[in-house]
Amino acid sequence: MIESLIKAQKKYFMNGHTRDIDKRIAQLKKLRTFIQVNEEAILNALREDLGKPHFEGYATEVGYVLESISHFVKHLKGWAKDEKVKAPIHQIPATSYIRYEPYGVVAVIAPFNYPFQLLIEPMIGAIAAGNTVIVKPSEYAEKTALIIQKLVKECFQTEYVAVVTGGKEMTSELIHAPLDYIFFTGSVPVGKIVMKAAAERLTPITLELGGKSPTIVHKDANVKVAAKRIAWGKFINTGQTCIAPDYVYVHESIRSDFLNELALAIRQFYGHDPLVSEDYGKIINERHYDRLINLLDPDKVVIGGQADRETLYIAPTVMADVGWEDAVMQDEIFGPILPVLTYTNLNDILNLMAEKPKPLALYLFSESDVIHTHVMEKVQFGGGCINDTLTHIANPNMPFGGVGGSGMGHYHGYDSFLTFSHKKAIHKKSTRIEHGLVFPPYRHKLQLIKKILK
Ligand code: NAD
């Protein structure tokens, strides 16, 4: 089934139907209209799948992709132009240019946590760059997957954009098929499976993965602001955010201040009983609920800890005096549990972080520019914030992506366009002049070429 779909899309692509820039823009506008008209239904689906409050659904998914479409509509013509570049002196008379060529048939595979945005955002980039697309929504966010099916069917013909649904069998079939590009967002273990499959055909890939993203609260931090921004970044979407602060390293001298402020912030955000708060979501399914409950050490829980399997709720939970030997520190948490560790020497923890897989994000809270520069230089990570959490993802002028263990490749805005385009280098020569420098017999030409190439 996948192979025949790819064949049909390839034919559509080869016939040039995706090449015209105005047509691409028209398709993006059609997509925008569908999203605007169906906004309520999308927000409701997100609420059903993840208990996502409409505000979060709009800010991080629906509104997010609408803004992205507007950005592409505004800039695409400029980005897609052939780019003239200088030709070296020994090559003239000639002109050189770079053509941004679409790859062909692209697969976009999405996870469950931002099930709409993380599928639509790369799809926008793939369409803008002139590809055909096969999207695979997460099987766990069922209601959102249904809306995505409707969206794709109403906005596009199957030869242009198609949706396939199912679990890992479907993903497996897809990643082994003769695609021209695979864009995968998901966990590190599945990322490795995708990369292995892609290697068989040398299919180019982007991997948007996860990992344990650290947050550092230094002794000179504005503790109140830090606690609020960390609580927000951790507990939005019930902690199921790839760039959520996974754990916090707080300077020993401000540990209790920080924990007090954290408790205050959580109460301000979600009230005395977060389980009944309309602004707080739920865990995606029982499997993840059980996994998270197993990470809790009741002796170390200082805030929250309440949970209800029936409704898949786990309260915003903070664990203190945590060490690297604790269960909660073994893997990415991906839920509303925040371990707090303490430190006295900043360089000690920076060295420790440098030994671990490069995280997707890092957040630093400090009032000192010297500390900012030092930390940014010392630790490698995908992207991050100084004195905030998450918000680096929301700037369409910045690339988003991991490095090393947290993934490879970038997207968002112009970087999405680049990701889904092959830079085809064309050197166009005149036939009027033939200096013959590179042709044999070489005789004394070695001296001449040495003068030019140095
Ligand atoms: P996941 O890796 O379990 O699933 C992602 C996709 O892979 C799904 O569509 C699923 O059908 C497929 N899949 C699952 N197991 C498979 C297998 N064995 N073989 C082939 N395909 C398989 O991820 P998830 O649980 O949906 O999402 C959570 C993970 O995604 C976290 O690790 C998180 O950090 C990461 N994530 C990363 C980003 C980012 O932008 N870097 C964004 C969101 C989530």
Side-chain angles (χ1 to χ4, degrees):
M1 174 240 180
I2 297 263
E3 294 242 355
S4 61
L5 178 58
I6 293 175
K7 254 190 198 146
Q9 288 209 346
K10 194 84 183 187
K11 193 170 161 201
Y12 186 81
F13 175 79
M14 293 310 286
N15 285 338
H17 295 299
T18 65
R19 297 290 170 134
D20 185 70
I21 308 292
D22 286 323
K23 189 178 161 194
R24 294 183 205 170
I25 291 174
Q27 291 292 340
L28 292 178
K29 286 182 175 168
K30 196 171 173 187
L31 174 64
R32 178 163 67 189
T33 304
F34 178 95
I35 296 170
Q36 285 164 337
V37 171
N38 292 278
E39 178 193 309
E40 193 70 15
I42 301 167
L43 293 176
N44 286 339
L46 292 167
R47 184 149 66 190
E48 282 194 59
D49 284 334
L50 288 142
K52 216 172 267 222
H54 280 188
F55 178 88
E56 283 184 19
Y58 192 86
T60 65
E61 307 225 32
V62 175
Y64 188 97
V65 299
L66 287 176
E67 191 198 18
S68 172
I69 294 173
S70 303
H71 190 71
F72 272 92
V73 167
K74 190 169 166 199
H75 296 288
L76 185 57
K77 276 198 173 153
W79 294 342
K81 272 192 190 130
D82 285 350
E83 188 182 323
K84 274 202 166 178
V85 292
K86 262 172 114 177
I89 188 147
H90 51 90
Q91 297 273 19
I92 50 176
T95 48
S96 295
Y97 63 94
I98 299 161
R99 166 145 302 178
Y100 291 91
E101 189 175 71
Y103 280 97
V105 183
V106 168
V108 171
I109 301 162
F112 73 76
N113 57 334
Y114 291 83
F116 189 72
Q117 188 248 108
L118 290 173
L119 183 133
I120 301 294
E121 180 68 22
M123 185 181 103
I124 293 168
I127 292 172
N131 300 278
T132 68
V133 196
I134 300 172
V135 295
K136 212 299 268 164
S138 168
E139 65 274 29
Y140 299 134
E142 288 173 22
K143 295 288 185 296
T144 311
L146 285 176
I147 290 273
I148 288 168
Q149 274 177 276
K150 183 169 176 245
L151 174 151
V152 170
K153 281 185 184 138
E154 280 187 25
C155 294
F156 309 99
Q157 54 189 109
T158 317
E159 293 83 353
Y160 191 9
V161 181
V163 57
V164 293
T165 52
K168 57 182 170 193
E169 295 73 23
M170 177 53 81
T171 315
S172 183
E173 197 182 334
L174 192 57
I175 57 182
H176 286 95
L179 294 158
D180 296 301
Y181 202 97
I182 299 172
F183 188 100
F184 172 82
T185 307
S187 60
V188 172
V190 182
K192 289 180 186 172
I193 295 172
V194 173
M195 192 160 174
K196 224 178 201 172
E200 286 166 19
R201 293 181 189 269
L202 294 178
T203 310
I205 49 171
T206 295
L207 297 178
E208 295 287 343
L209 309 178
K212 287 186 91 62
S213 297
T215 298
I216 301 167
V217 186
H218 199 49
K219 58 185 170 194
D220 64 342
N222 181 329
V223 177
K224 202 176 184 59
V225 168
K228 262 198 176 155
R229 294 180 184 176
I230 291 168
W232 170 73
K234 179 70 185 189
F235 300 116
I236 191 171
N237 205 29
T238 329
Q240 299 163 111
T241 302
C242 56
I243 48 168
D246 186 271
Y247 61 94
V248 177
Y249 254 122
V250 63
H251 193 273
E252 181 67 46
S253 61
I254 52 165
R255 173 194 174 277
S256 38
D257 266 5
F258 176 70
L259 288 174
N260 289 340
E261 290 295 343
L262 209 50
L264 204 64
I266 292 170
R267 214 161 41 244
Q268 276 173 1
F269 291 171
Y270 308 110
H272 284 280
D273 186 4
L275 305 193
V276 296
S277 167
E278 283 191 354
D279 296 328
Y280 189 65
K282 61 171 180 165
I283 306 304
I284 186 76
N285 55 29
E286 282 83 4
R287 187 170 67 84
H288 279 282
Y289 175 92
D290 293 339
R291 178 185 63 79
L292 287 162
I293 292 297
N294 280 330
L295 301 181
L296 290 176
D297 176 348
D299 292 340
K300 295 193 173 177
V301 169
V302 290
I303 302 169
Q306 305 83 354
D308 175 28
R309 195 172 193 270
E310 193 78 2
T311 45
L312 296 172
Y313 277 110
I314 299 178
T317 297
V318 178
M319 287 167 62
D321 305 317
V322 171
W324 281 94
E325 66 290 350
D326 285 309
V328 76
M329 293 306 287
Q330 302 314 307
D331 279 312
E332 178 184 16
I333 298 167
F334 216 59
I337 304 169
L338 182 65
V340 176
L341 298 83
T342 52
Y343 72 95
T344 46
N345 183 318
L346 182 61
N347 276 333
D348 286 352
I349 61 163
L350 297 182
N351 289 335
L352 193 128
M353 284 170 194
E355 281 170 18
K356 302 203 173 287
K358 296 167 189 167
L360 185 57
L362 181 143
Y363 306 111
L364 166 67
F365 287 84
S366 159
E367 294 298 305
S368 153
D369 285 343
V370 176
I371 297 288
H372 298 167
T373 311
H374 182 61
V375 175
M376 294 305 121
E377 275 175 10
K378 195 103 189 190
V379 193
Q380 288 180 288
F381 55 93
C385 305
I386 295 168
N387 291 326
D388 205 2
T389 63
L390 313 189
T391 45
H392 62 294
I393 200 174
N395 181 348
N397 300 311
M398 291 215 288
F400 176 76
V403 57
S406 53
M408 58 185 72
H410 298 96
Y411 75 131
H412 287 186
Y414 184 47
D415 282 274
S416 284
F417 177 77
L418 291 179
T419 283
F420 291 110
S421 304
H422 163 63
K423 281 185 168 189
K424 195 178 201 177
I426 314 287
H427 189 59
K428 184 174 166 183
K429 242 174 154 169
S430 162
T431 52
R432 280 184 291 119
I433 300 169
E434 187 67 274
H435 52 58
L437 172 67
V438 294
F439 298 147
Y442 300 124
R443 284 189 202 120
H444 308 299
K445 289 179 186 171
L446 180 61
Q447 290 314 316
L448 187 57
I449 201 79
K450 277 187 172 177
K451 282 195 177 123
I452 299 168
L453 299 180
K454 57 184 180 193

